[in-house]
Amino acid sequence: MTNNSQQPKPVLNRLVVIGLGLIGSSLALAARQQGLAAQVVGISRRDSTLELALEAGIIDRAEQDLEAVASELKAGDLVVIGVPTLTLPAVLEDCRRLLASDVTITDVASVKGSVVNAAVEIYGSMPRQLVPGHPIAGSEKSGVTAAVASLFVDHRVILTPSEVTGSDHIKLVTDLWCGAGAIVTSMDVREHDEILAATSHLPHFLAYSLVDTLAAKGDNHEIFRYAAGGFRDFTRIAASDPVMWRDIALANKDAILVILDQVMGNFNQMRTAIEGGDQDYLMDVFTRARDARNHFGKILDSKALSSPMTEKTINYRVAPGGNAQGDIRVPGDKSMSHRSIMLGSLANGLTEVTGFLEGEDSLATLQAFRDMGVVIEGPEQGRVAINGVGLHGLKAPTKPLYLGNSGTSIRLLSGLLAGQSFDTELTGDSSLSGRPMGRVANPLAEMGAIIETAAGGTPPLKIKGGQTLKPINYAMPMASAQVKSCVLLAGLYTEGQTSVVEPAPTRDHTERMLRGFGYSVTTDGSTASLSGGGSLAATRIDVPADISSAAFFMVAAAIVPDSDITLRHVGVNPTRIGVINILRQMGTRIELTNEIEVGGEPVADIRVRYAPLKGITIPEDQVPLAIDEFPVLFVAASCATGETLLTGAEELRVKESDRIQSMADGLVTLGIDAQPTADGIRILGGQLGSGTVASHDDHRIAMAFTIAALRASGEILVEHCNNVATSFPDFVGLAQQVGISIDLESA
Ligand code: S3P
């Protein structure tokens, strides 16, 4: 056991830092303060620097050159070269001459290609003892007096080892940086230099250039006096060390020139736009850049919901019991949010959306349209403004469209992208990458689309543009609104009438919203039809609260005696109200009030109160109407007296997880008799116990087991709840508000 008063064991023997600039001296200081090395030796040609470093406790021992210490160094010792980039080859030459081959060497230069080239030239080939490195940290201040031990905490250090680099050497360097609080990753040399040219080197040159331009004006004194925040923010880094940046400019010339040319091209376009009063161009660039900056800002603050490599796993620890009382509005409907972006983008004119769901799934759709050149403002508190480009105005994306966890995005997009003039590729996360896409690829192929899935009919989807699509009359083999919508959206790009016949009613938001955009869609019994060749007129859309999210709190109220929960402004489209019908049949008291119609969709407040629940045989016609609500309905069934039987629901096996198996496993863990069948489940009501359940990265499974805790005898730990953010960003806050006690644990 370590205790705080003990110094941790050093991770290396002797640390020799050559060059006591900001980085070298900060690393030496961190090593001393954290006890990372048995001895820290500083090397500088200047006496004054060495004196300052000794005085400030940055180093234990000062030397003027490597020769003074080289013969003492052996395996387990580490030499860090912290000199400017162009001076580095000379130091490396000293290393070759003076150091034994088992002494580890690393550097901190911002350019890695030049270090590797110098090493190959000096040693004849890459020496196994050299681990090129680059801490992404620093400030505009320089020199030993600027040293701060915390400079590297939570900052990245990129190592660019080659195949010959020794793993013992990599480990030593990694241990040092980790000890200083940094996050160590590795990268290919070329990739490093290209990325750094764009993200670090270019901004410095822009800042130097702007300040120099203004400083060259005769009246610069006045200009600088009045220069406000923008100038100050943008030019802080122009106070950086000129030698260092001169060296970087020369050492990373190739990569810098590429990005510099791109920016200069952009500048020229902007100049032309300003000169010609091209408002659209300016709005396009500024909006895209602002949104990208907001997105990157979240990553910079490590707040992005989906930064895959670094994301921490979130578990919910839910205490048993709670009272289930409240008056709340859950976030916007996911299905409608997706469609508002898609149809708004394809319309002519500005579509304004309120109540948009800011969940990862609908944001994936939004990003996909931005990637295809649509200017979309927001979302800001559920408000989105989409500058529609018309049915034929999308532009080819420069990279595959990444749709995260979202089945609705990939399936609906495949339909409308099949009709475009350009090729696209659609990808997703590991759950989406395992889901069946043959169900959309097959009818699209019948329409003449060229669409390729991975083996097994899963994503990625590769869609070849420029095809002439033919209308079809498609009898869907399964009741799927996603497939229906996909075919109808492809139908927009055909000449003639496309019809889809569904085996059972499925949600009809696509049809209703198309009509809201002035596009004629007919529904005749189980057949929805439209004719291609029309256009969509921009409109306003008010997205109501999502009944699929409300369902969690409906069940919360349904299982807790004396509960009373009101859910405001919920979409109660007849194709979505299976959860109301099923809960009512089980005995729950549910009242709908304030029933109105908003933008062609029925909306109501839903009040739910407890009454004893009884098990039922769920009518099969309710299955598509409650398709997303079954995980939490299974929790209701577990709290009912008697048996609940679900059949005809094999679709649940191909959702974000196999929802029959995921729920059965978790319920059994909690002591419930739950028996999965091929197309459903049989659940015998009983006492929910306590335990650890897996969400299988499925948002609805995670939320269902959270609700289960209300009636559990002990704590429930729900694992891997990150994906709750795909559909219900503030689930935890609202759950706490109605009386559920959840602690978030990051694993
Ligand atoms: C959705 C349709 C349903 C549903 C999904 C959203 C939609 O999928 O499960 O969460 O927005 O069209 P299927 O149509 O494949 O059943």
mmCIF file of all heavy atoms in Angstrom, residues 615-648:
data_model
loop_
_atom_site.group_PDB
_atom_site.id
_atom_site.type_symbol
_atom_site.label_atom_id
_atom_site.label_comp_id
_atom_site.label_asym_id
_atom_site.label_seq_id
_atom_site.Cartn_x
_atom_site.Cartn_y
_atom_site.Cartn_z
ATOM 1 N N GLY A 615 -50.800 -9.617 -15.487
ATOM 2 C CA GLY A 615 -50.153 -10.106 -16.712
ATOM 3 C C GLY A 615 -51.179 -10.308 -17.821
ATOM 4 O O GLY A 615 -52.346 -10.614 -17.547
ATOM 5 N N ILE A 616 -50.759 -10.112 -19.068
ATOM 6 C CA ILE A 616 -51.678 -10.287 -20.206
ATOM 7 C C ILE A 616 -50.954 -11.005 -21.357
ATOM 8 O O ILE A 616 -49.723 -11.092 -21.368
ATOM 9 C CB ILE A 616 -52.204 -8.927 -20.752
ATOM 10 C CG1 ILE A 616 -51.028 -8.052 -21.242
ATOM 11 C CG2 ILE A 616 -53.051 -8.205 -19.728
ATOM 12 C CD1 ILE A 616 -51.449 -6.854 -22.074
ATOM 13 N N THR A 617 -51.743 -11.440 -22.313
ATOM 14 C CA THR A 617 -51.181 -11.866 -23.593
ATOM 15 C C THR A 617 -51.245 -10.640 -24.489
ATOM 16 O O THR A 617 -52.332 -10.101 -24.746
ATOM 17 C CB THR A 617 -52.005 -13.024 -24.180
ATOM 18 O OG1 THR A 617 -51.849 -14.133 -23.302
ATOM 19 C CG2 THR A 617 -51.512 -13.397 -25.573
ATOM 20 N N ILE A 618 -50.093 -10.182 -24.917
ATOM 21 C CA ILE A 618 -50.062 -8.915 -25.666
ATOM 22 C C ILE A 618 -50.585 -9.158 -27.085
ATOM 23 O O ILE A 618 -50.062 -10.036 -27.795
ATOM 24 C CB ILE A 618 -48.634 -8.348 -25.681
ATOM 25 C CG1 ILE A 618 -48.210 -8.015 -24.236
ATOM 26 C CG2 ILE A 618 -48.545 -7.112 -26.581
ATOM 27 C CD1 ILE A 618 -46.773 -7.599 -24.062
ATOM 28 N N PRO A 619 -51.623 -8.425 -27.491
ATOM 29 C CA PRO A 619 -52.159 -8.643 -28.836
ATOM 30 C C PRO A 619 -51.088 -8.364 -29.890
ATOM 31 O O PRO A 619 -50.392 -7.344 -29.811
ATOM 32 C CB PRO A 619 -53.298 -7.614 -28.942
ATOM 33 C CG PRO A 619 -53.582 -7.175 -27.542
ATOM 34 C CD PRO A 619 -52.325 -7.360 -26.763
ATOM 35 N N GLU A 620 -50.951 -9.229 -30.862
ATOM 36 C CA GLU A 620 -49.870 -9.065 -31.854
ATOM 37 C C GLU A 620 -50.002 -7.781 -32.663
ATOM 38 O O GLU A 620 -49.006 -7.231 -33.131
ATOM 39 C CB GLU A 620 -49.796 -10.286 -32.775
ATOM 40 C CG GLU A 620 -49.145 -11.466 -32.072
ATOM 41 C CD GLU A 620 -48.653 -12.543 -33.034
ATOM 42 O OE1 GLU A 620 -48.673 -12.341 -34.255
ATOM 43 O OE2 GLU A 620 -48.236 -13.607 -32.522
ATOM 44 N N ASP A 621 -51.249 -7.289 -32.804
ATOM 45 C CA ASP A 621 -51.384 -6.050 -33.585
ATOM 46 C C ASP A 621 -50.783 -4.847 -32.851
ATOM 47 O O ASP A 621 -50.588 -3.788 -33.441
ATOM 48 C CB ASP A 621 -52.853 -5.791 -33.975
ATOM 49 C CG ASP A 621 -53.756 -5.542 -32.771
ATOM 50 O OD1 ASP A 621 -53.243 -5.573 -31.627
ATOM 51 O OD2 ASP A 621 -54.963 -5.307 -32.968
ATOM 52 N N GLN A 622 -50.473 -5.007 -31.575
ATOM 53 C CA GLN A 622 -49.864 -3.901 -30.833
ATOM 54 C C GLN A 622 -48.339 -3.873 -30.984
ATOM 55 O O GLN A 622 -47.690 -2.897 -30.609
ATOM 56 C CB GLN A 622 -50.211 -4.004 -29.334
ATOM 57 C CG GLN A 622 -51.684 -3.826 -29.036
ATOM 58 C CD GLN A 622 -52.189 -2.461 -29.490
ATOM 59 O OE1 GLN A 622 -51.633 -1.429 -29.131
ATOM 60 N NE2 GLN A 622 -53.236 -2.464 -30.315
ATOM 61 N N VAL A 623 -47.772 -4.969 -31.527
ATOM 62 C CA VAL A 623 -46.308 -5.082 -31.537
ATOM 63 C C VAL A 623 -45.635 -3.923 -32.292
ATOM 64 O O VAL A 623 -44.791 -3.220 -31.724
ATOM 65 C CB VAL A 623 -45.851 -6.467 -32.049
ATOM 66 C CG1 VAL A 623 -44.344 -6.496 -32.292
ATOM 67 C CG2 VAL A 623 -46.234 -7.529 -31.027
ATOM 68 N N PRO A 624 -46.034 -3.644 -33.558
ATOM 69 C CA PRO A 624 -45.335 -2.528 -34.225
ATOM 70 C C PRO A 624 -45.634 -1.175 -33.575
ATOM 71 O O PRO A 624 -44.836 -0.253 -33.689
ATOM 72 C CB PRO A 624 -45.892 -2.550 -35.656
ATOM 73 C CG PRO A 624 -46.659 -3.817 -35.798
ATOM 74 C CD PRO A 624 -47.022 -4.296 -34.434
ATOM 75 N N LEU A 625 -46.745 -1.097 -32.865
ATOM 76 C CA LEU A 625 -47.129 0.190 -32.267
ATOM 77 C C LEU A 625 -46.391 0.452 -30.951
ATOM 78 O O LEU A 625 -46.467 1.549 -30.394
ATOM 79 C CB LEU A 625 -48.651 0.236 -31.999
ATOM 80 C CG LEU A 625 -49.580 -0.238 -33.122
ATOM 81 C CD1 LEU A 625 -51.041 0.034 -32.756
ATOM 82 C CD2 LEU A 625 -49.251 0.488 -34.433
ATOM 83 N N ALA A 626 -45.717 -0.575 -30.442
ATOM 84 C CA ALA A 626 -44.994 -0.415 -29.170
ATOM 85 C C ALA A 626 -43.579 -0.960 -29.315
ATOM 86 O O ALA A 626 -42.937 -1.308 -28.331
ATOM 87 C CB ALA A 626 -45.729 -1.172 -28.066
ATOM 88 N N ILE A 627 -43.079 -1.002 -30.575
ATOM 89 C CA ILE A 627 -41.875 -1.782 -30.851
ATOM 90 C C ILE A 627 -40.669 -1.368 -29.995
ATOM 91 O O ILE A 627 -39.894 -2.206 -29.542
ATOM 92 C CB ILE A 627 -41.535 -1.756 -32.373
ATOM 93 C CG1 ILE A 627 -40.453 -2.775 -32.702
ATOM 94 C CG2 ILE A 627 -41.164 -0.369 -32.868
ATOM 95 C CD1 ILE A 627 -40.928 -4.195 -32.634
ATOM 96 N N ASP A 628 -40.538 -0.060 -29.733
ATOM 97 C CA ASP A 628 -39.371 0.377 -28.961
ATOM 98 C C ASP A 628 -39.617 0.350 -27.454
ATOM 99 O O ASP A 628 -38.696 0.601 -26.669
ATOM 100 C CB ASP A 628 -38.977 1.802 -29.378
ATOM 101 C CG ASP A 628 -38.419 1.830 -30.797
ATOM 102 O OD1 ASP A 628 -37.902 0.796 -31.256
ATOM 103 O OD2 ASP A 628 -38.513 2.887 -31.446
ATOM 104 N N GLU A 629 -40.869 0.099 -27.068
ATOM 105 C CA GLU A 629 -41.208 0.214 -25.647
ATOM 106 C C GLU A 629 -41.165 -1.125 -24.916
ATOM 107 O O GLU A 629 -41.382 -1.187 -23.700
ATOM 108 C CB GLU A 629 -42.612 0.837 -25.499
ATOM 109 C CG GLU A 629 -42.677 2.306 -25.831
ATOM 110 C CD GLU A 629 -42.383 2.632 -27.300
ATOM 111 O OE1 GLU A 629 -43.242 2.411 -28.174
ATOM 112 O OE2 GLU A 629 -41.245 3.085 -27.575
ATOM 113 N N PHE A 630 -40.882 -2.215 -25.641
ATOM 114 C CA PHE A 630 -40.939 -3.527 -24.985
ATOM 115 C C PHE A 630 -39.942 -3.706 -23.841
ATOM 116 O O PHE A 630 -40.297 -4.295 -22.821
ATOM 117 C CB PHE A 630 -40.870 -4.661 -26.006
ATOM 118 C CG PHE A 630 -42.199 -4.837 -26.690
ATOM 119 C CD1 PHE A 630 -42.366 -4.500 -28.019
ATOM 120 C CD2 PHE A 630 -43.312 -5.267 -25.965
ATOM 121 C CE1 PHE A 630 -43.611 -4.617 -28.629
ATOM 122 C CE2 PHE A 630 -44.566 -5.374 -26.568
ATOM 123 C CZ PHE A 630 -44.717 -5.051 -27.900
ATOM 124 N N PRO A 631 -38.713 -3.202 -23.973
ATOM 125 C CA PRO A 631 -37.826 -3.424 -22.823
ATOM 126 C C PRO A 631 -38.460 -2.947 -21.515
ATOM 127 O O PRO A 631 -38.463 -3.680 -20.518
ATOM 128 C CB PRO A 631 -36.572 -2.612 -23.189
ATOM 129 C CG PRO A 631 -36.547 -2.665 -24.685
ATOM 130 C CD PRO A 631 -38.000 -2.584 -25.104
ATOM 131 N N VAL A 632 -39.041 -1.759 -21.532
ATOM 132 C CA VAL A 632 -39.594 -1.265 -20.263
ATOM 133 C C VAL A 632 -40.945 -1.918 -19.978
ATOM 134 O O VAL A 632 -41.321 -2.115 -18.811
ATOM 135 C CB VAL A 632 -39.634 0.289 -20.239
ATOM 136 C CG1 VAL A 632 -40.785 0.863 -21.042
ATOM 137 C CG2 VAL A 632 -39.653 0.794 -18.799
ATOM 138 N N LEU A 633 -41.659 -2.337 -21.026
ATOM 139 C CA LEU A 633 -42.910 -3.074 -20.771
ATOM 140 C C LEU A 633 -42.619 -4.421 -20.106
ATOM 141 O O LEU A 633 -43.417 -4.919 -19.312
ATOM 142 C CB LEU A 633 -43.693 -3.273 -22.077
ATOM 143 C CG LEU A 633 -44.455 -2.024 -22.561
ATOM 144 C CD1 LEU A 633 -44.964 -2.214 -23.986
ATOM 145 C CD2 LEU A 633 -45.615 -1.671 -21.619
ATOM 146 N N PHE A 634 -41.457 -5.000 -20.405
ATOM 147 C CA PHE A 634 -41.092 -6.262 -19.736
ATOM 148 C C PHE A 634 -40.876 -6.021 -18.234
ATOM 149 O O PHE A 634 -41.085 -6.915 -17.417
ATOM 150 C CB PHE A 634 -39.812 -6.866 -20.328
ATOM 151 C CG PHE A 634 -39.936 -7.296 -21.774
ATOM 152 C CD1 PHE A 634 -38.801 -7.634 -22.507
ATOM 153 C CD2 PHE A 634 -41.178 -7.382 -22.402
ATOM 154 C CE1 PHE A 634 -38.896 -8.039 -23.829
ATOM 155 C CE2 PHE A 634 -41.272 -7.783 -23.739
ATOM 156 C CZ PHE A 634 -40.138 -8.105 -24.454
ATOM 157 N N VAL A 635 -40.430 -4.816 -17.902
ATOM 158 C CA VAL A 635 -40.279 -4.484 -16.475
ATOM 159 C C VAL A 635 -41.666 -4.411 -15.843
ATOM 160 O O VAL A 635 -41.895 -4.932 -14.738
ATOM 161 C CB VAL A 635 -39.507 -3.156 -16.301
ATOM 162 C CG1 VAL A 635 -39.524 -2.690 -14.856
ATOM 163 C CG2 VAL A 635 -38.075 -3.323 -16.808
ATOM 164 N N ALA A 636 -42.622 -3.797 -16.556
ATOM 165 C CA ALA A 636 -43.999 -3.758 -16.037
ATOM 166 C C ALA A 636 -44.511 -5.186 -15.842
ATOM 167 O O ALA A 636 -45.109 -5.515 -14.805
ATOM 168 C CB ALA A 636 -44.901 -2.988 -16.996
ATOM 169 N N ALA A 637 -44.234 -6.051 -16.826
ATOM 170 C CA ALA A 637 -44.702 -7.444 -16.739
ATOM 171 C C ALA A 637 -44.092 -8.147 -15.521
ATOM 172 O O ALA A 637 -44.747 -8.968 -14.871
ATOM 173 C CB ALA A 637 -44.343 -8.191 -18.016
ATOM 174 N N SER A 638 -42.856 -7.795 -15.195
ATOM 175 C CA SER A 638 -42.191 -8.416 -14.039
ATOM 176 C C SER A 638 -42.857 -7.998 -12.733
ATOM 177 O O SER A 638 -42.732 -8.681 -11.723
ATOM 178 C CB SER A 638 -40.720 -8.013 -13.980
ATOM 179 O OG SER A 638 -40.108 -8.306 -15.196
ATOM 180 N N CYS A 639 -43.540 -6.854 -12.741
ATOM 181 C CA CYS A 639 -44.180 -6.346 -11.522
ATOM 182 C C CYS A 639 -45.676 -6.685 -11.494
ATOM 183 O O CYS A 639 -46.396 -6.246 -10.600
ATOM 184 C CB CYS A 639 -44.009 -4.834 -11.430
ATOM 185 S SG CYS A 639 -42.299 -4.320 -11.355
ATOM 186 N N ALA A 640 -46.156 -7.406 -12.526
ATOM 187 C CA ALA A 640 -47.587 -7.723 -12.588
ATOM 188 C C ALA A 640 -47.845 -9.065 -11.923
ATOM 189 O O ALA A 640 -46.932 -9.873 -11.759
ATOM 190 C CB ALA A 640 -48.020 -7.774 -14.056
ATOM 191 N N THR A 641 -49.094 -9.297 -11.559
ATOM 192 C CA THR A 641 -49.409 -10.647 -11.082
ATOM 193 C C THR A 641 -49.691 -11.523 -12.294
ATOM 194 O O THR A 641 -50.369 -11.096 -13.230
ATOM 195 C CB THR A 641 -50.651 -10.648 -10.159
ATOM 196 O OG1 THR A 641 -51.647 -9.845 -10.766
ATOM 197 C CG2 THR A 641 -50.329 -10.107 -8.782
ATOM 198 N N GLY A 642 -49.163 -12.709 -12.260
ATOM 199 C CA GLY A 642 -49.423 -13.654 -13.344
ATOM 200 C C GLY A 642 -48.472 -13.487 -14.507
ATOM 201 O O GLY A 642 -47.455 -12.784 -14.413
ATOM 202 N N GLU A 643 -48.855 -14.130 -15.586
ATOM 203 C CA GLU A 643 -47.925 -14.260 -16.709
ATOM 204 C C GLU A 643 -48.242 -13.270 -17.825
ATOM 205 O O GLU A 643 -49.398 -13.015 -18.131
ATOM 206 C CB GLU A 643 -48.056 -15.687 -17.247
ATOM 207 C CG GLU A 643 -47.074 -16.000 -18.333
ATOM 208 C CD GLU A 643 -47.237 -17.433 -18.821
ATOM 209 O OE1 GLU A 643 -46.629 -18.327 -18.204
ATOM 210 O OE2 GLU A 643 -47.976 -17.642 -19.800
ATOM 211 N N THR A 644 -47.190 -12.729 -18.417
ATOM 212 C CA THR A 644 -47.354 -11.906 -19.624
ATOM 213 C C THR A 644 -46.679 -12.648 -20.763
ATOM 214 O O THR A 644 -45.558 -13.146 -20.612
ATOM 215 C CB THR A 644 -46.717 -10.519 -19.418
ATOM 216 O OG1 THR A 644 -47.445 -9.848 -18.394
ATOM 217 C CG2 THR A 644 -46.779 -9.691 -20.700
ATOM 218 N N LEU A 645 -47.381 -12.703 -21.881
ATOM 219 C CA LEU A 645 -46.841 -13.435 -23.026
ATOM 220 C C LEU A 645 -46.772 -12.511 -24.229
ATOM 221 O O LEU A 645 -47.759 -11.854 -24.579
ATOM 222 C CB LEU A 645 -47.760 -14.628 -23.335
ATOM 223 C CG LEU A 645 -47.334 -15.462 -24.549
ATOM 224 C CD1 LEU A 645 -45.996 -16.159 -24.296
ATOM 225 C CD2 LEU A 645 -48.416 -16.501 -24.883
ATOM 226 N N LEU A 646 -45.593 -12.448 -24.835
ATOM 227 C CA LEU A 646 -45.414 -11.661 -26.060
ATOM 228 C C LEU A 646 -45.049 -12.610 -27.189
ATOM 229 O O LEU A 646 -44.145 -13.442 -27.043
ATOM 230 C CB LEU A 646 -44.292 -10.633 -25.868
ATOM 231 C CG LEU A 646 -43.903 -9.859 -27.139
ATOM 232 C CD1 LEU A 646 -45.021 -8.918 -27.589
ATOM 233 C CD2 LEU A 646 -42.616 -9.063 -26.911
ATOM 234 N N THR A 647 -45.751 -12.476 -28.322
ATOM 235 C CA THR A 647 -45.407 -13.258 -29.525
ATOM 236 C C THR A 647 -45.370 -12.309 -30.722
ATOM 237 O O THR A 647 -45.806 -11.164 -30.621
ATOM 238 C CB THR A 647 -46.477 -14.345 -29.799
ATOM 239 O OG1 THR A 647 -47.757 -13.687 -29.865
ATOM 240 C CG2 THR A 647 -46.492 -15.419 -28.737
ATOM 241 N N GLY A 648 -44.847 -12.787 -31.813
ATOM 242 C CA GLY A 648 -44.843 -12.002 -33.061
ATOM 243 C C GLY A 648 -43.908 -10.806 -33.003
ATOM 244 O O GLY A 648 -44.090 -9.830 -33.723
#
